[in-house]
Amino acid sequence: MSLVRYKDPPHGSHRCQNLETIHNYLQNYEGKERYAALCTLRDGFMERLENTQMAIARFYSLATRDVSFRTFATGDTEAWEPMRTAAVSTRERIMTARNSILKLWPEAAAEGLVTDGASLQTLASMRKVAKSFPYEEGKQRLVSVMFRRLSQPGVGIRQTTDPTKKDWDRILDQQRYPTHTPNNRMLFSIGLVWNHHGLLERKAALGMGSVSAEPATKPPSKPEFVLGEAFQSQNGLKRRLEAKKQLSTPVAISLLKEMRNHIADQKATFCFSHLHKMGGKLGLQMKMLTSESLKSRLEDVYRARGWIYKLKAGQKTYRWFRRSNRPTRLADTLGVYRIRPITLPTFTFNPQAILRSLNLDWVISQFQEDGNVLINCIFTYLFDDKRLWDLLSEEFDMYDWHLRKIGGRQNLGWLRNALYTQVQQIVRSDPLYYILYACLRPDNNWRLISYPYYMKSTRVDDSTCFRHLDLNIPQLLQEGRGASQIQGSLTLTDEKEDNCTEMLTGAHRWLPIWWDRIKQRKLDSDGLLHSVHSSMWTPEDKRDFGDWKSLPCKRGTVRISMPHNPHGSTGPAAGFRQTILPWFVGIMDENETLEVQESGTRSQLAAAHRDMTAPPSSPSGHPNKYGSIPFRFPAAVELFNVSPIADALVGRRLWDSPAVIAERNILLGPDHTARNQLIQEIRTTALNQARSNLQVVQQMERQAFGKKSYWSCRDAGRQWVSDDDEDPDSETEAAYIAAEEAAAAADVAEERSADI
């Protein structure tokens, strides 16, 4: 493998195999020419680097969609992390390049010039053109260079009607590539037409009919293909026919012409096998052809060799060719279906009208003012049945029984092993909570998925004090990364001023000003989250933006806040406190990418919900290292099939599922009565299923842990096991000590026998 490929105009293109080759190459130049050679090598290295980065991004995207990746990669996230980071970085650079072009040429988006599949190199060349010319002039020059390329087919010349990097580069080289706009006759001669944007495309894209007749000229006498023994005298031609290498259409036509000439000159014959291989080189469909029909088909292709594109696009002849060797047709995507479905309009909804019908019209105005809102009427139904709530909350005690410290470190008031309690799953499937998120998100994205996060459960004197912001502030301000990822929690106990969440409200209005101050104080950083310590929040900041506010909540209160708001908790804990963090995050239109790409993908979160394991990283993008559950808790039971939209919120169904869309249309639609009825049905189903699941939870926990089970110990009146025990498996410890003592005794006996 060469280090880099460079172009030396007097001598053509060369490859540097190693640094010694580069050194020898530079010895040929001095002064400015030597520096120019260095620049050439630099550009070669950078092009190779960008090609590698693009390949990594595309491979990672392919890998994450693979079934085996979704099945086995959860336990191998560390090995994939460098590639994921590189892929995310490349995608972000591509988005930055695209946005910079669209600022100069906003029309390019509507006319499809800036595509999602464009490489970094192509976008960089396009940006140079956008800086040099207005849009219409740039488009005219693009058409000129593309026509020049498409009208000169040959080996190594791409025949795509999409603009290439070289097309954009040639626009700037007006001396070698002056602008000449082709007319209709020139376009038709090579099978091109204008599309409705004033760009070039193949005739096939406009639904061309059958192939026109060949011009009325007397065809030359043609030799007939004759079946017989394999052609022996022309070994070179035979080898090329038998080679597995795929040929371009011009090369394959040249090979067909050579075959006919051999037949005409030498009266040679070709067996069916070689004719079959020739058809394969031309991209013909071969399965249904007999020997006679194959000979006839090859003759038809040869007669139309000057306009073979007509055969590939014609209504009566496109089926002659394999799908990979002809223009894509709309019918190709239908498979066995007869009728193409209608493209539905983009779904929209009216957040103000929906919340007004729910008597929550005040929520939007307060949320826009403070970037935070407390709503105390959403989950009161959880506590209506006291007996059921006692059973549900006792599941928290079970998880607390099984929680232990790791490395002597405190759990800081977090119940880190509780990700899939019945209450957490009920909240994640709640339709009214989903409606609130969809209506309050700045982008009104209704494709959401709950990030499986553990719950908070504090005891007196737990070290709970912290203040931070869950997103990268520079990227939030510059690129809007995560700006719509609103955050929320549900409080399960009554809180007080000295034992609750703290927040700096309204930060969406003043965060850029405050961050400029942080940079002036040289306290800025570029991490995935930011701690807000005392030196970062000065008396000047308090005067201009306000001070930290305590936000105590009553049981059943929902808090929803914008991601811009720094927040934290009072501490140490002044009493018992429990909260749940459902963490609804947005999914992009293609049903896979999350709004903060470092936090994983929809498939990864869906797999975590399905397997009831930890997701690969936190919502901010940090890897889940400290306190992550290593495997599914044996007594965790799924809240299954509550409703289609509840399934979508945990990744069991896609958001384009018809059943999910039907419920979405009700929940976010104009029919208030239907919405209330569906909310009640989903909630009733969830509570009934949770009630029956709790029996399974108790049974499985007893079975999995025997005499150390929470429920067994509770029934027997045994006290809590100390959470300071580093290794609760005393039997293993005893066996290890016994083995070591036996080995030591054997060593002593051996030494004594040696002394004797």
Side-chain angles (χ1 to χ4, degrees), residues 103-134:
K103 289 179 181 178
L104 298 166
W105 280 2
E107 304 95 331
E111 300 190 2
L113 280 180
V114 183
T115 61
D116 292 335
S119 67
L120 279 169
Q121 301 96 308
T122 302
L123 292 173
S125 298
M126 185 178 179
R127 184 168 52 214
K128 292 179 183 178
V129 174
K131 289 180 178 179
S132 303
F133 304 104

Side-chain angles (χ1 to χ4, degrees), residues 61-78:
S61 177
L62 172 69
T64 53
R65 295 194 299 269
D66 192 88
V67 175
S68 64
F69 184 94
R70 297 195 293 267
T71 305
F72 301 107
T74 305
D76 196 25
T77 55
E78 187 173 347

Side-chain angles (χ1 to χ4, degrees), residues 222-227 256 260 272 275-276 279 282 284-286 289-304 311 317 320-321:
K222 61 181 179 65
E224 180 185 0
F225 289 104
V226 183
L227 290 175
L256 177 62
R260 295 179 83 260
F272 179 77
L275 296 178
H276 190 279
L282 292 165
L284 295 174
Q285 291 274 16
M286 306 298 297
L289 296 180
T290 64
S291 60
E292 292 302 320
S293 60
L294 174 56
K295 289 188 293 181
S296 176
R297 184 67 48 83
L298 289 173
E299 282 298 334
D300 290 337
V301 170
Y302 185 75
R303 284 198 303 271
L311 293 181
T317 55
W320 290 5
F321 298 88

Side-chain angles (χ1 to χ4, degrees), residues 52-64 69 80-95 120 593 597-598 601:
T52 303
Q53 290 172 337
M54 287 294 298
I56 288 174
R58 288 167 178 164
F59 170 74
Y60 184 75
S61 177
L62 172 69
T64 53
F69 184 94
W80 285 93
E81 181 61 23
M83 177 167 283
R84 187 187 69 82
T85 302
V88 168
S89 174
T90 300
R91 285 196 294 266
E92 290 178 349
R93 289 175 61 197
I94 290 175
M95 290 302 297
L120 279 169
T593 307
Q597 296 184 7
E598 294 87 346
T601 63

Side-chain angles (χ1 to χ4, degrees), residues 181-321:
T181 303
N183 56 36
N184 292 338
R185 181 185 58 79
M186 296 165 66
L187 293 180
F188 187 82
S189 66
I190 59 171
L192 296 175
V193 292
W194 299 105
N195 66 15
H196 61 288
H197 292 310
L199 300 171
L200 301 181
E201 66 179 22
R202 301 286 183 191
K203 288 182 182 178
L206 300 178
M208 215 185 78
S210 59
V211 177
S212 303
E214 190 176 358
T217 58
K218 184 178 180 180
S221 59
K222 61 181 179 65
E224 180 185 0
F225 289 104
V226 183
L227 290 175
E229 296 298 325
F231 186 62
Q232 298 293 332
S233 61
Q234 299 295 330
N235 291 329
L237 177 58
K238 179 180 176 182
R239 283 195 299 270
R240 278 182 285 164
L241 284 172
E242 294 178 345
K244 295 182 179 180
K245 181 179 179 181
Q246 188 66 34
L247 302 179
S248 65
T249 299
V251 175
I253 290 293
S254 175
L255 189 62
L256 177 62
K257 180 179 180 180
E258 187 176 347
M259 174 186 279
R260 295 179 83 260
N261 290 339
H262 290 160
I263 296 172
D265 295 342
Q266 303 178 14
K267 307 300 182 184
T269 59
F270 284 87
C271 69
F272 179 77
S273 174
H274 285 93
L275 296 178
H276 190 279
K277 287 180 172 61
M278 184 68 253
K281 299 294 185 185
L282 292 165
L284 295 174
Q285 291 274 16
M286 306 298 297
K287 291 184 178 179
M288 306 301 293
L289 296 180
T290 64
S291 60
E292 292 302 320
S293 60
L294 174 56
K295 289 188 293 181
S296 176
R297 184 67 48 83
L298 289 173
E299 282 298 334
D300 290 337
V301 170
Y302 185 75
R303 284 198 303 271
R305 62 190 180 278
W307 47 88
I308 192 171
Y309 61 87
K310 293 185 179 181
L311 293 181
K312 293 185 176 183
Q315 187 68 28
K316 296 181 179 180
T317 55
Y318 78 89
R319 292 186 180 87
W320 290 5
F321 298 88

Side-chain angles (χ1 to χ4, degrees), residues 108 129 142 177 360 389 400 469 495 512 549 563 576 600 623 649 720:
V129 174
L142 175 64
Y177 302 96
L360 295 172
W389 174 249
D400 192 45
L469 198 142
E495 298 177 345
K549 294 181 180 179
F576 181 62
L649 288 168
W720 242 253

Side-chain angles (χ1 to χ4, degrees), residues 20-30 34:
E20 182 180 357
T21 310
I22 294 176
H23 177 75
N24 294 337
Y25 165 65
L26 293 174
Q27 298 308 310
N28 297 321
Y29 303 97
E30 291 183 359
R34 187 181 180 96

